[in-house]
Amino acid sequence: MQLSKKDVLERANKACKNTLMETLNIEIVDFSENYLVARMPVSPKVHQPDGVLHGGATAALAESVGSFASHIFIDTEKFFVRGIEITANHLKSVKEGFIFAKASFIHKGRTTQLLDIRITDEADNLISVCKLSTITLPKNKE
């Protein structure tokens, strides 16, 4: 049975319950074979003391969307995905609204994956550029 895009998004967001993604109100909003998009609200909950988006919250969004992108393309009965390295370059501050993270595959190997993650605001301004490496491993080795 082929699932609709709506069904896949509902299942993905349901899997995020009781996780950091739920704590940060991260919601997966779109995907295709080569990318995944999530959004996160910017509010005092994710601010630095001076009232702008905390870079750590941005990195958490990037790692969440990138790892999830790798996750949805594997056999989760046999394998699991872990982030192994992330870099983030923060380019612009945000105080409110939503930010969007689009994770696109640069390399989609059987064992390792490399993703480019662009964080933008609601006006499509580039906020941060991140790179995430993930690894896929057999579940019996965890």
Side-chain angles (χ1 to χ4, degrees), residues 77-121:
E77 295 294 317
K78 297 178 182 176
F79 300 95
F80 64 92
V81 171
R82 295 291 183 265
I84 54 176
E85 182 177 18
I86 189 164
T87 62
N89 295 97
H90 306 299
L91 309 171
K92 186 173 179 166
S93 297
V94 178
K95 292 184 178 187
E96 60 186 8
F98 282 91
I99 56 171
F100 297 85
K102 182 176 183 179
S104 301
F105 285 94
I106 297 169
H107 171 73
K108 194 193 297 186
R110 285 180 301 181
T111 304
T112 62
Q113 301 78 39
L114 178 61
L115 297 108
D116 175 62
I117 304 158
R118 304 281 172 153
I119 311 289
T120 57
D121 64 12

Side-chain angles (χ1 to χ4, degrees), residues 2 6 8 16 30 33 36 52 56 74 88 97-100 105 107-109 111 115 118-119 122 126 133 136 142:
Q2 183 77 8
K6 179 183 175 198
V8 172
C16 297
D30 195 15
E33 185 176 319
L36 187 101
V52 298
I74 65 164
F98 282 91
I99 56 171
F100 297 85
F105 285 94
H107 171 73
K108 194 193 297 186
T111 304
L115 297 108
R118 304 281 172 153
I119 311 289
E122 292 172 292
L126 188 60
S133 298
T136 302
E142 184 174 30

Side-chain angles (χ1 to χ4, degrees), residues 7-27:
D7 290 336
V8 172
L9 291 171
E10 283 178 9
R11 285 183 179 197
N13 285 306
K14 188 179 278 190
C16 297
K17 296 293 182 201
N18 299 313
T19 68
L20 179 65
M21 291 177 73
E22 181 179 49
T23 300
L24 296 177
N25 296 313
I26 295 170
E27 178 186 11

Side-chain angles (χ1 to χ4, degrees), residues 12-58:
N13 285 306
K14 188 179 278 190
C16 297
K17 296 293 182 201
N18 299 313
T19 68
L20 179 65
M21 291 177 73
E22 181 179 49
T23 300
L24 296 177
N25 296 313
I26 295 170
E27 178 186 11
I28 298 166
V29 296
D30 195 15
F31 73 95
S32 80
E33 185 176 319
N34 291 308
Y35 72 83
L36 187 101
V37 178
R39 73 177 184 172
M40 181 179 78
V42 179
S43 67
K45 185 177 183 177
V46 294
H47 281 172
Q48 297 182 39
D50 66 350
V52 298
L53 177 63
H54 193 290
T58 305

